[in-house]
């Protein structure tokens, strides 16, 4: 799960997918990272922690880290929260970039529409509610696609 700061969107996505994978008995390694260095080592944004907690998911132990090109070797799927993040990942990864592994998270529900999870960093607490919902629904759709491939939409 990748976003810009690894403090607002991708920590929620990491927590939600871990939660849903566990619930479905899937032993996946799930992590998140950011493409900007400003928040390395920090916990998720307080509003990301609050909205996750309200939904029964504790993300407060996460720590922001930078996306590295080796992530393309370590992970089978890389979900980007937004198109600008994919541009950054492309620059960071050079020859490791694999367009077959990276996709927009919202493509799991709206394939090919190029939808972003909006960046709530400059918003208020309320802006994190639709962000959480979008991320949750996309992760639930991905789990469904993986566990019941007949429902796969892309
Ligand atoms: P995120 O939000 O990518 O969802 O973690 C942001 C957090 C920090 C910054 C930008 C976006 N920033 O520029 O510091």
């Amino acid at each position: 799960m990748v976003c810009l700061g690894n403090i607002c969107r991708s920590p929620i996505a990491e927590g939600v997918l871990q939660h849903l994978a566990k619930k479905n008995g899937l032993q996946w390694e799930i992590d998140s990272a950011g493409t900007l260095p400003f928040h390395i080592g920090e916990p998720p944004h307080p509003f990301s922690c609050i909205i996750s907690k309200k939904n029964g998911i504790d993300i407060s132990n996460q720590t922001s880290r930078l996306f590295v090109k080796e992530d393309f070797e370590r992970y089978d799927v890389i979900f980007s929260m937004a198109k600008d993040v994919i541009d950054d990942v492309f620059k960071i990864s050079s020859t490791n970039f694999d367009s077959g592994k990276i996709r927009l998270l919202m493509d799991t529900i709206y394939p090919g529409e190029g939808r972003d999870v909006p960046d709530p960093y400059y918003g208020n607490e309320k802006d994190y509610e639709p962000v959480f919902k979008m991320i949750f629904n996309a992760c639930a759709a991905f789990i469904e696609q993986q566990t019941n491939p007949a429902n796969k939409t892309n």
Side-chain angles (χ1 to χ4, degrees):
M1 297 296 188
V2 190
C3 63
L4 296 174
N6 192 211
I7 54 165
C8 300
R9 292 165 292 177
S10 60
I12 296 175
E14 176 187 333
V16 165
L17 193 60
Q18 269 167 357
H19 172 80
L20 293 175
K22 197 172 170 200
K23 218 169 124 182
N24 284 273
L26 299 163
Q27 295 191 336
W28 291 349
E29 181 183 334
I30 299 158
D31 196 12
S32 65
T35 59
L36 300 178
F38 310 127
H39 299 279
I40 295 172
E42 291 179 17
H45 192 287
F47 293 158
S48 289
C49 292
I50 290 168
I51 189 67
S52 298
K53 193 90 186 192
K54 269 188 191 164
N55 287 275
I57 300 170
D58 183 0
I59 65 167
S60 61
N61 286 336
Q62 292 183 30
T63 306
S64 173
R65 74 164 174 94
L66 259 188
F67 184 87
V68 292
K69 63 181 181 2
E70 290 76 19
D71 285 320
F72 272 105
E73 292 156 9
R74 181 161 187 149
Y75 296 99
D76 301 316
V77 181
I78 294 167
F79 281 116
S80 177
M81 299 302 120
K83 295 178 288 297
D84 58 347
V85 177
I86 297 184
D87 295 340
D88 286 352
V89 167
F90 182 77
K91 285 176 204 147
I92 291 168
S93 307
S94 64
T95 53
N96 269 20
F97 187 83
D98 182 348
S99 60
K101 279 194 176 181
I102 190 161
R103 55 180 106 157
L104 289 171
L105 180 64
M106 293 315 297
D107 265 13
T108 59
I109 302 181
Y110 305 103
E113 292 191 18
R115 295 199 193 195
D116 292 345
V117 177
D119 185 355
Y121 182 56
Y122 296 102
N124 56 41
E125 188 171 351
K126 265 201 130 354
D127 296 315
Y128 286 69
E129 288 174 12
V131 164
F132 183 92
K133 280 199 182 108
M134 289 174 83
I135 291 172
F136 187 93
N137 291 339
C139 289
F142 181 63
I143 295 260
E144 176 68 18
Q145 290 159 13
Q146 294 300 307
T147 54
N148 185 1
N151 291 342
K152 210 168 184 298
T153 55
N154 61 338

